[in-house]
Coordinates of all heavy atoms in Angstrom, one line a residue:
M1 N -39.0 301.2 88.0 CA -39.9 302.3 87.5 C -39.2 303.6 87.4 O -39.2 304.3 86.3 CB -41.1 302.4 88.4 CG -42.2 303.2 87.7 SD -42.8 302.5 86.1 CE -44.0 303.7 85.7
R2 N -38.5 304.0 88.5 CA -37.8 305.3 88.5 C -36.7 305.3 87.4 O -36.5 306.3 86.7 CB -37.2 305.6 89.9 CG -36.3 306.8 89.9 CD -35.7 307.0 91.2 NE -36.7 307.6 92.1 CZ -36.5 307.9 93.4 NH1 -35.3 307.6 93.9 NH2 -37.4 308.4 94.2
R3 N -36.0 304.2 87.2 CA -34.9 304.1 86.3 C -35.5 304.4 84.8 O -34.8 305.0 84.0 CB -34.3 302.7 86.3 CG -33.0 302.6 85.5 CD -32.4 301.2 85.7 NE -31.9 301.0 87.1 CZ -31.5 299.8 87.5 NH1 -31.6 298.8 86.7 NH2 -31.1 299.7 88.7
I4 N -36.7 303.8 84.5 CA -37.2 304.0 83.2 C -37.5 305.5 83.0 O -37.3 306.1 81.9 CB -38.5 303.2 83.1 CG1 -38.2 301.7 83.1 CG2 -39.3 303.6 81.8 CD1 -39.3 300.8 83.2
V5 N -38.1 306.2 84.0 CA -38.4 307.6 83.8 C -37.1 308.4 83.6 O -37.1 309.3 82.7 CB -39.1 308.1 85.1 CG1 -39.2 309.6 85.0 CG2 -40.5 307.5 85.2
I6 N -36.1 308.1 84.3 CA -34.8 308.9 84.1 C -34.3 308.6 82.7 O -33.8 309.5 82.0 CB -33.8 308.5 85.2 CG1 -34.3 309.0 86.6 CG2 -32.4 309.0 84.9 CD1 -33.5 308.5 87.7
A7 N -34.3 307.4 82.2 CA -33.8 307.1 80.9 C -34.6 307.9 79.9 O -34.0 308.4 78.9 CB -33.9 305.6 80.6
A8 N -35.9 307.9 80.0 CA -36.7 308.7 79.1 C -36.4 310.2 79.1 O -36.3 310.8 78.0 CB -38.2 308.5 79.4
L9 N -36.1 310.7 80.3 CA -35.8 312.1 80.4 C -34.4 312.4 79.7 O -34.2 313.4 79.0 CB -35.7 312.6 81.8 CG -37.1 312.8 82.5 CD1 -36.9 313.0 84.0 CD2 -37.8 313.9 81.9
L10 N -33.5 311.5 79.9 CA -32.2 311.6 79.3 C -32.3 311.6 77.8 O -31.7 312.3 77.0 CB -31.2 310.6 79.8 CG -30.7 310.8 81.2 CD1 -29.9 309.6 81.7 CD2 -29.9 312.0 81.3
A11 N -33.1 310.6 77.3 CA -33.3 310.5 75.8 C -33.9 311.8 75.2 O -33.5 312.2 74.2 CB -34.2 309.3 75.5
F12 N -34.8 312.3 75.9 CA -35.5 313.6 75.5 C -34.4 314.7 75.4 O -34.3 315.4 74.5 CB -36.6 313.9 76.4 CG -37.3 315.2 76.0 CD1 -38.1 315.3 74.9 CD2 -37.0 316.4 76.7 CE1 -38.7 316.5 74.6 CE2 -37.6 317.6 76.4 CZ -38.5 317.6 75.3
A13 N -33.7 314.8 76.5 CA -32.7 315.9 76.6 C -31.6 315.7 75.4 O -31.3 316.7 74.8 CB -32.0 315.9 77.9
A14 N -31.2 314.5 75.2 CA -30.2 314.3 74.1 C -30.8 314.6 72.8 O -30.1 315.3 72.0 CB -29.7 312.8 74.2
S15 N -32.0 314.2 72.5 CA -32.5 314.4 71.2 C -32.8 315.9 70.9 O -32.6 316.4 69.8 CB -33.8 313.6 70.9 OG -34.8 314.1 71.8
S16 N -33.2 316.7 72.0 CA -33.5 318.1 71.8 C -32.2 318.8 71.6 O -32.2 319.9 70.9 CB -34.3 318.6 72.9 OG -33.7 318.5 74.1
A17 N -31.1 318.3 72.2 CA -29.8 319.0 72.0 C -29.3 318.8 70.6 O -28.6 319.6 70.0 CB -28.8 318.5 73.0
I18 N -29.6 317.6 70.0 CA -29.0 317.3 68.7 C -29.7 318.0 67.6 O -29.1 318.6 66.7 CB -29.1 315.7 68.5 CG1 -28.1 315.0 69.4 CG2 -28.8 315.4 67.0 CD1 -28.3 313.6 69.5
A19 N -31.0 318.0 67.5 CA -31.7 318.6 66.4 C -32.7 319.7 66.9 O -33.6 319.5 67.6 CB -32.6 317.6 65.6
A20 N -32.3 320.9 66.5 CA -33.1 322.1 66.9 C -34.1 322.4 65.7 O -33.8 322.1 64.5 CB -32.3 323.3 67.2
D21 N -35.2 323.1 66.0 CA -36.1 323.5 65.0 C -35.9 325.1 64.9 O -35.9 325.7 65.9 CB -37.5 323.1 65.3 CG -38.4 323.4 64.1 OD1 -38.0 323.3 62.9 OD2 -39.6 323.8 64.3
H22 N -35.9 325.6 63.6 CA -35.8 327.0 63.4 C -37.0 327.4 62.6 O -37.6 326.6 61.9 CB -34.5 327.3 62.6 CG -33.2 326.8 63.3 ND1 -32.5 327.5 64.2 CD2 -32.7 325.5 63.2 CE1 -31.5 326.7 64.6 NE2 -31.6 325.6 64.0
A23 N -37.3 328.7 62.6 CA -38.5 329.2 61.9 C -38.1 330.3 61.0 O -37.3 331.2 61.3 CB -39.5 329.7 62.9
V24 N -38.6 330.2 59.8 CA -38.5 331.3 58.8 C -39.9 331.7 58.3 O -40.7 330.8 58.0 CB -37.7 330.8 57.5 CG1 -37.7 331.9 56.4 CG2 -36.2 330.5 57.9
E25 N -40.2 333.0 58.5 CA -41.5 333.5 58.1 C -41.4 334.0 56.6 O -40.4 334.7 56.3 CB -41.9 334.6 59.0 CG -43.3 335.1 58.8 CD -43.7 336.1 59.9 OE1 -43.2 337.3 59.8 OE2 -44.5 335.8 60.8
I26 N -42.4 333.8 55.8 CA -42.4 334.3 54.5 C -43.6 335.3 54.5 O -44.7 335.0 54.7 CB -42.7 333.2 53.4 CG1 -41.8 332.0 53.6 CG2 -42.5 333.8 52.0 CD1 -42.2 330.8 52.7
K27 N -43.2 336.6 54.4 CA -44.2 337.7 54.5 C -43.7 338.9 53.7 O -42.5 339.2 53.8 CB -44.3 338.0 56.0 CG -45.5 339.0 56.3 CD -45.6 339.2 57.8 CE -46.8 340.0 58.2 NZ -46.8 340.2 59.6
G28 N -44.6 339.5 53.0 CA -44.2 340.7 52.2 C -43.2 340.3 51.1 O -42.3 341.1 50.8
M29 N -43.3 339.1 50.6 CA -42.4 338.7 49.5 C -41.0 338.6 49.9 O -40.1 338.8 49.2 CB -42.5 339.6 48.3 CG -43.9 339.8 47.7 SD -44.7 338.4 47.0 CE -43.9 338.3 45.4
K30 N -40.8 338.3 51.2 CA -39.4 338.1 51.8 C -39.4 336.9 52.7 O -40.4 336.6 53.4 CB -39.0 339.4 52.5 CG -38.7 340.6 51.7 CD -38.1 341.7 52.5 CE -39.1 342.2 53.6 NZ -38.7 343.4 54.3
F31 N -38.2 336.4 52.8 CA -37.9 335.3 53.8 C -37.3 336.1 55.0 O -36.3 336.8 54.9 CB -36.9 334.3 53.3 CG -37.4 333.5 52.1 CD1 -37.0 333.8 50.8 CD2 -38.4 332.5 52.3 CE1 -37.5 333.0 49.8 CE2 -38.8 331.7 51.2 CZ -38.4 332.0 50.0
T32 N -37.8 335.8 56.2 CA -37.3 336.4 57.4 C -37.0 335.4 58.5 O -38.0 334.7 58.9 CB -38.3 337.5 57.9 OG1 -38.5 338.4 56.9 CG2 -37.6 338.2 59.1
P33 N -35.8 335.2 58.9 CA -34.6 335.9 58.5 C -34.2 335.3 57.1 O -34.4 334.1 56.8 CB -33.5 335.5 59.5 CG -34.0 334.2 60.1 CD -35.5 334.2 60.0
A34 N -33.5 336.2 56.3 CA -33.1 335.7 55.0 C -31.9 334.8 55.0 O -31.7 334.1 54.1 CB -32.9 337.0 54.1
S35 N -31.1 335.0 56.0 CA -30.0 334.0 56.1 C -30.0 333.5 57.5 O -30.3 334.2 58.5 CB -28.7 334.7 55.8 OG -28.3 335.6 56.8
L36 N -29.6 332.2 57.6 CA -29.7 331.5 58.8 C -28.6 330.5 58.9 O -28.2 329.9 57.9 CB -31.0 330.7 58.7 CG -31.7 330.1 60.0 CD1 -32.0 331.2 61.0 CD2 -33.0 329.4 59.6
S37 N -28.0 330.4 60.1 CA -26.9 329.4 60.4 C -27.5 328.4 61.4 O -28.0 328.8 62.4 CB -25.7 330.1 61.0 OG -25.0 330.9 60.0
V38 N -27.4 327.1 61.0 CA -27.9 326.1 61.8 C -26.9 324.9 61.9 O -25.9 325.0 61.3 CB -29.3 325.5 61.2 CG1 -30.3 326.6 61.0 CG2 -29.0 324.8 59.9
A39 N -27.2 324.0 62.7 CA -26.4 322.8 62.8 C -26.9 321.7 61.8 O -28.2 321.7 61.5 CB -26.4 322.2 64.2
A40 N -26.0 321.0 61.1 CA -26.5 319.9 60.2 C -27.5 319.0 60.9 O -27.2 318.6 62.1 CB -25.3 319.2 59.7
G41 N -28.5 318.7 60.2 CA -29.6 317.8 60.8 C -30.7 318.6 61.5 O -31.7 318.0 61.9
D42 N -30.5 319.9 61.7 CA -31.6 320.7 62.2 C -32.7 320.8 61.2 O -32.6 320.6 60.1 CB -31.1 322.2 62.5 CG -30.3 322.2 63.8 OD1 -30.1 321.2 64.5 OD2 -29.9 323.4 64.2
S43 N -33.9 321.2 61.8 CA -35.0 321.4 60.9 C -35.4 322.9 60.8 O -35.1 323.6 61.8 CB -36.2 320.6 61.3 OG -36.5 320.9 62.6
I44 N -36.0 323.3 59.8 CA -36.5 324.6 59.6 C -37.9 324.6 59.1 O -38.3 323.8 58.2 CB -35.7 325.4 58.5 CG1 -34.2 325.4 58.8 CG2 -36.2 326.8 58.3 CD1 -33.3 326.0 57.7
T45 N -38.8 325.3 59.8 CA -40.2 325.4 59.5 C -40.4 326.7 58.8 O -40.2 327.8 59.4 CB -41.1 325.3 60.7 OG1 -40.8 324.0 61.3 CG2 -42.5 325.4 60.3
F46 N -40.9 326.6 57.5 CA -41.2 327.8 56.7 C -42.7 328.0 56.8 O -43.5 327.1 56.6 CB -40.8 327.6 55.3 CG -39.3 327.6 55.0 CD1 -38.6 326.4 55.1 CD2 -38.6 328.7 54.7 CE1 -37.2 326.3 54.9 CE2 -37.2 328.7 54.5 CZ -36.5 327.5 54.6
T47 N -43.1 329.2 57.1 CA -44.6 329.5 57.2 C -44.9 330.7 56.3 O -44.2 331.8 56.3 CB -45.0 329.9 58.6 OG1 -44.7 328.8 59.5 CG2 -46.5 330.1 58.7
N48 N -45.8 330.5 55.4 CA -46.2 331.6 54.4 C -47.4 332.4 55.0 O -48.5 331.9 55.2 CB -46.6 331.0 53.1 CG -47.0 332.0 52.1 OD1 -46.7 333.2 52.3 ND2 -47.7 331.6 51.1
M49 N -47.1 333.7 55.2 CA -48.1 334.6 55.7 C -48.7 335.4 54.6 O -49.7 336.2 54.8 CB -47.5 335.6 56.7 CG -46.7 334.9 57.9 SD -47.7 333.8 58.8 CE -48.7 335.0 59.7
D50 N -48.2 335.3 53.4 CA -48.7 336.1 52.2 C -49.9 335.5 51.6 O -50.2 334.3 51.7 CB -47.6 336.2 51.2 CG -46.6 337.3 51.5 OD1 -46.9 338.2 52.4 OD2 -45.5 337.3 50.9
A51 N -50.7 336.3 50.9 CA -51.8 335.8 50.1 C -51.3 335.0 48.9 O -52.0 334.1 48.5 CB -52.7 337.0 49.6
A52 N -50.1 335.4 48.4 CA -49.5 334.7 47.2 C -48.9 333.4 47.7 O -48.4 333.3 48.8 CB -48.5 335.6 46.6
P53 N -48.9 332.3 46.9 CA -48.3 331.1 47.2 C -46.7 331.3 47.1 O -46.3 332.0 46.2 CB -48.8 330.1 46.2 CG -49.1 331.0 45.0 CD -49.6 332.3 45.5
H54 N -46.0 330.6 47.9 CA -44.6 330.6 47.8 C -44.0 329.2 48.1 O -44.7 328.3 48.5 CB -44.0 331.5 48.9 CG -44.4 332.9 48.8 ND1 -44.1 333.7 47.7 CD2 -45.0 333.8 49.7 CE1 -44.5 335.0 47.9 NE2 -45.1 335.0 49.1
T55 N -42.7 329.1 47.7 CA -42.0 327.9 48.1 C -40.6 328.3 48.7 O -40.2 329.5 48.5 CB -41.6 327.0 46.9 OG1 -40.6 327.6 46.1 CG2 -42.8 326.8 46.0
A56 N -39.9 327.4 49.4 CA -38.5 327.6 49.7 C -37.8 326.4 49.1 O -38.0 325.3 49.6 CB -38.3 327.7 51.2
T57 N -37.2 326.6 48.0 CA -36.6 325.5 47.2 C -35.1 325.7 47.1 O -34.6 326.7 46.5 CB -37.3 325.5 45.8 OG1 -38.7 325.5 45.9 CG2 -36.8 324.4 45.0
A58 N -34.3 324.8 47.6 CA -32.9 324.9 47.6 C -32.4 324.7 46.2 O -32.8 323.8 45.5 CB -32.2 323.9 48.5
E59 N -31.4 325.6 45.7 CA -30.9 325.5 44.4 C -30.3 324.2 44.1 O -30.3 323.6 43.0 CB -29.9 326.6 44.1 CG -30.4 328.0 44.7 CD -30.8 328.9 43.5 OE1 -30.8 328.5 42.4 OE2 -31.0 330.1 43.8
G60 N -29.6 323.6 45.1 CA -28.8 322.4 44.9 C -29.7 321.2 45.2 O -29.2 320.0 45.2
G61 N -31.0 321.4 45.4 CA -31.9 320.2 45.7 C -31.9 319.7 47.1 O -32.4 318.7 47.4
G62 N -31.2 320.5 48.0 CA -31.1 320.0 49.4 C -32.4 320.0 50.2 O -32.6 319.1 51.0
F63 N -33.4 320.8 49.8 CA -34.7 320.8 50.4 C -35.7 321.5 49.5 O -35.3 322.3 48.7 CB -34.7 321.3 51.8 CG -34.3 322.8 52.0 CD1 -35.2 323.8 51.8 CD2 -33.0 323.1 52.3 CE1 -34.8 325.1 51.9 CE2 -32.5 324.4 52.4 CZ -33.5 325.4 52.2
D64 N -37.0 321.3 49.8 CA -38.0 321.9 49.0 C -39.3 321.8 49.8 O -39.7 320.7 50.1 CB -38.2 321.3 47.6 CG -39.1 322.0 46.7 OD1 -39.7 323.1 47.1 OD2 -39.3 321.6 45.6
T65 N -39.9 323.0 50.1 CA -41.1 322.9 50.9 C -42.3 322.5 50.0 O -43.3 322.2 50.5 CB -41.4 324.3 51.5 OG1 -41.6 325.3 50.4 CG2 -40.3 324.8 52.4
G66 N -42.1 322.7 48.7 CA -43.3 322.6 47.8 C -44.2 323.8 48.0 O -43.8 324.8 48.8
R67 N -45.3 323.9 47.3 CA -46.1 325.1 47.3 C -46.8 325.3 48.7 O -47.4 324.3 49.2 CB -47.2 324.9 46.3 CG -48.2 326.1 46.2 CD -49.4 325.7 45.3 NE -50.4 326.8 45.4 CZ -50.8 327.5 44.3 NH1 -50.2 327.3 43.1 NH2 -51.7 328.4 44.4
L68 N -46.6 326.5 49.2 CA -47.2 326.8 50.5 C -48.3 327.9 50.2 O -47.9 329.0 49.8 CB -46.2 327.3 51.5 CG -45.1 326.3 51.9 CD1 -44.1 327.0 52.9 CD2 -45.8 325.2 52.7
N69 N -49.5 327.6 50.5 CA -50.5 328.7 50.3 C -50.6 329.5 51.6 O -49.9 329.1 52.6 CB -51.9 328.0 50.1 CG -51.9 327.4 48.7 OD1 -51.5 327.9 47.7 ND2 -52.5 326.2 48.6
K70 N -51.4 330.5 51.7 CA -51.4 331.4 52.8 C -51.7 330.6 54.1 O -52.7 329.8 54.1 CB -52.5 332.4 52.6 CG -52.6 333.4 53.8 CD -53.6 334.5 53.6 CE -53.5 335.5 54.7 NZ -54.5 336.6 54.6
G71 N -50.9 330.8 55.1 CA -51.1 330.2 56.4 C -50.5 328.8 56.5 O -50.6 328.2 57.6
E72 N -50.0 328.3 55.4 CA -49.5 326.9 55.5 C -48.0 327.0 55.8 O -47.3 327.9 55.6 CB -49.6 326.2 54.1 CG -51.1 325.9 53.8 CD -51.2 325.2 52.4 OE1 -50.4 325.3 51.5 OE2 -52.2 324.4 52.3
S73 N -47.5 325.8 56.4 CA -46.1 325.7 56.7 C -45.6 324.4 56.4 O -46.4 323.4 56.2 CB -45.9 326.1 58.2 OG -46.5 325.1 59.0
A74 N -44.3 324.3 56.2 CA -43.6 323.0 55.9 C -42.3 323.0 56.7 O -41.6 324.0 56.8 CB -43.4 322.8 54.4
T75 N -41.9 321.8 57.2 CA -40.7 321.6 57.9 C -39.7 320.8 57.1 O -40.1 319.7 56.6 CB -41.0 321.0 59.2 OG1 -41.9 321.8 60.0 CG2 -39.7 320.8 60.0
V76 N -38.5 321.3 56.9 CA -37.5 320.6 56.1 C -36.3 320.3 57.1 O -36.1 321.0 58.0 CB -37.0 321.3 54.9 CG1 -38.2 321.6 53.9 CG2 -36.4 322.6 55.3
T77 N -35.6 319.3 56.7 CA -34.3 318.9 57.5 C -33.1 319.3 56.6 O -33.2 319.1 55.4 CB -34.3 317.5 57.8 OG1 -35.4 317.1 58.6 CG2 -33.1 317.1 58.6
V78 N -32.2 320.0 57.2 CA -31.1 320.5 56.5 C -29.8 319.7 56.7 O -29.3 319.5 57.8 CB -30.8 322.0 56.9 CG1 -29.7 322.6 56.1 CG2 -32.1 322.8 56.7
A79 N -29.2 319.3 55.6 CA -27.9 318.6 55.6 C -26.8 319.6 55.7 O -27.0 320.8 55.3 CB -27.7 317.7 54.4
A80 N -25.6 319.2 56.0 CA -24.4 320.1 56.1 C -24.2 320.7 54.7 O -24.3 320.1 53.7 CB -23.2 319.3 56.5
G81 N -23.8 322.0 54.7 CA -23.4 322.7 53.5 C -24.1 324.1 53.5 O -24.8 324.5 54.4
E82 N -23.8 324.8 52.4 CA -24.5 326.1 52.1 C -25.6 325.9 51.1 O -25.4 325.4 50.1 CB -23.4 327.1 51.6 CG -22.4 327.4 52.6 CD -21.7 328.8 52.3 OE1 -22.4 329.6 51.7 OE2 -20.6 329.0 52.8
H83 N -26.8 326.3 51.5 CA -27.9 326.1 50.7 C -28.5 327.5 50.4 O -29.1 328.1 51.2 CB -29.0 325.3 51.5 CG -28.5 324.0 52.0 ND1 -28.4 322.8 51.2 CD2 -28.0 323.7 53.2 CE1 -27.9 321.9 52.0 NE2 -27.6 322.3 53.2
A84 N -28.3 327.9 49.1 CA -29.1 329.1 48.6 C -30.4 328.6 48.2 O -30.5 327.5 47.6 CB -28.3 329.7 47.5
Y85 N -31.5 329.3 48.5 CA -32.8 328.9 48.1 C -33.6 330.0 47.6 O -33.2 331.2 47.8 CB -33.5 328.2 49.3 CG -33.9 329.0 50.5 CD1 -35.1 329.7 50.5 CD2 -33.0 329.1 51.6 CE1 -35.4 330.5 51.6 CE2 -33.3 329.9 52.7 CZ -34.5 330.6 52.7 OH -34.8 331.3 53.8
K86 N -34.7 329.7 46.9 CA -35.5 330.8 46.3 C -37.0 330.3 46.3 O -37.2 329.1 46.6 CB -35.1 331.1 44.9 CG -35.3 329.9 44.0 CD -34.8 330.2 42.6 CE -34.9 329.0 41.7 NZ -34.3 329.2 40.4
C87 N -37.9 331.2 46.0 CA -39.2 330.8 45.7 C -39.4 330.5 44.2 O -39.0 331.4 43.4 CB -40.2 331.9 46.1 SG -41.9 331.7 45.6
V88 N -39.9 329.4 43.8 CA -40.0 329.1 42.4 C -41.0 329.9 41.7 O -40.9 330.2 40.5 CB -40.3 327.6 42.1 CG1 -39.2 326.7 42.6 CG2 -41.6 327.2 42.7
F89 N -42.0 330.5 42.4 CA -42.9 331.4 41.7 C -42.4 332.8 41.6 O -42.8 333.5 40.7 CB -44.2 331.4 42.5 CG -44.8 330.0 42.7 CD1 -45.1 329.6 44.0 CD2 -45.1 329.2 41.6 CE1 -45.7 328.3 44.2 CE2 -45.7 328.0 41.8 CZ -46.0 327.5 43.1
H90 N -41.5 333.2 42.5 CA -41.0 334.5 42.5 C -39.4 334.4 42.7 O -39.0 334.6 43.9 CB -41.6 335.3 43.7 CG -43.1 335.2 43.8 ND1 -43.7 334.4 44.6 CD2 -44.0 335.9 43.0 CE1 -45.1 334.5 44.4 NE2 -45.3 335.4 43.5
P91 N -38.7 334.2 41.6 CA -37.3 333.8 41.8 C -36.4 335.0 42.4 O -35.3 334.7 42.8 CB -36.8 333.5 40.3 CG -38.1 333.2 39.6 CD -39.2 334.0 40.3
S92 N -37.0 336.2 42.4 CA -36.2 337.2 43.1 C -36.2 337.1 44.6 O -35.5 337.8 45.3 CB -36.7 338.6 42.7 OG -38.0 338.8 43.1
M93 N -37.1 336.3 45.1 CA -37.2 336.0 46.6 C -36.1 335.0 46.9 O -36.2 333.8 46.5 CB -38.6 335.4 47.0 CG -39.7 336.4 46.9 SD -41.3 335.7 47.3 CE -41.0 335.0 48.9
R94 N -35.1 335.4 47.7 CA -34.0 334.5 47.9 C -33.6 334.5 49.4 O -33.8 335.4 50.1 CB -32.8 335.0 47.1 CG -33.0 335.0 45.6 CD -31.8 335.3 44.8 NE -32.0 334.7 43.5 CZ -31.6 333.5 43.1 NH1 -31.0 332.7 44.0 NH2 -31.9 333.0 41.9
G95 N -33.0 333.3 49.8 CA -32.5 333.2 51.1 C -31.4 332.2 51.1 O -31.1 331.6 50.1
S96 N -30.8 332.1 52.3 CA -29.7 331.1 52.4 C -29.7 330.5 53.8 O -30.0 331.1 54.8 CB -28.4 331.7 52.0 OG -28.0 332.6 53.0
V97 N -29.2 329.2 53.8 CA -29.1 328.5 55.0 C -27.7 327.9 55.0 O -27.3 327.3 54.1 CB -30.1 327.4 55.2 CG1 -29.8 326.6 56.4 CG2 -31.5 327.9 55.2
T98 N -26.9 328.1 56.1 CA -25.6 327.5 56.2 C -25.7 326.5 57.4 O -26.1 326.9 58.5 CB -24.5 328.5 56.5 OG1 -24.5 329.5 55.5 CG2 -23.2 327.8 56.7
A99 N -25.4 325.2 57.1 CA -25.5 324.2 58.1 C -24.1 323.6 58.3 O -23.5 323.2 57.3 CB -26.5 323.1 57.7
E100 N -23.6 323.6 59.5 CA -22.3 323.0 59.8 C -22.4 321.9 60.8 O -23.2 321.8 61.6 CB -21.3 324.0 60.3 CG -21.7 325.5 60.2 CD -20.6 326.4 60.4 OE1 -20.3 326.7 61.6 OE2 -20.0 326.9 59.4
Ligands
LIG1 CU1 -43.1 333.3 46.1

C-alpha cells in the first residue's frame, strides 16, 4: 500500500516538472505579458477580461484559442519554436511565445 502511494507522488512530481501552465491576461486590448518564454510542451491559459471578444491565434498555426468572450479562457499547448500570435478581430493586438 505504501509503495503505491509513493509511486503516485513520484508520478505527480514528474508530470508537474515536465509541463508547466502559464497565464496570459487579455485586458485593455493587450496581451499581458506580451512575450513569454516557456518550455516546449507547456500550456498557456489565455483569459479575456475585456468586453470585446478576442482570440490568441498563432500566425504559423501552432495554436488558436478560438473566440473568447468576456470572462472566458482557453488553454493551449505550445510546441517548440517561436510563435508570433495575434487577435483575429483586432490584428494590431500581438504577442509572442518562445518555446524551447
Ligand atoms: Cu481582439
Side-chain angles (χ1 to χ4, degrees):
M1 191 61 182
R2 172 181 285 177
R3 188 177 296 169
I4 292 168
V5 170
I6 291 170
L9 286 172
L10 286 173
F12 177 76
S15 64
S16 61
I18 290 168
D21 188 38
H22 306 268
V24 172
E25 188 176 74
I26 313 173
K27 190 176 183 182
M29 307 292 283
K30 285 186 302 191
F31 297 103
T32 305
S35 73
L36 197 58
S37 290
V38 305
D42 280 2
S43 57
I44 303 174
T45 298
F46 291 89
T47 302
N48 180 17
M49 308 300 287
D50 279 343
H54 297 299
T55 75
T57 305
E59 315 254 8
F63 59 84
D64 188 358
T65 61
R67 178 189 175 117
L68 297 176
N69 293 317
K70 183 177 183 181
E72 291 182 334
S73 61
T75 301
V76 300
T77 301
V78 182
E82 293 205 21
H83 307 275
Y85 66 88
K86 65 183 179 187
C87 170
V88 296
F89 303 124
H90 312 101
S92 64
M93 290 174 61
R94 299 187 156 271
S96 67
V97 176
T98 302
E100 343 197 277

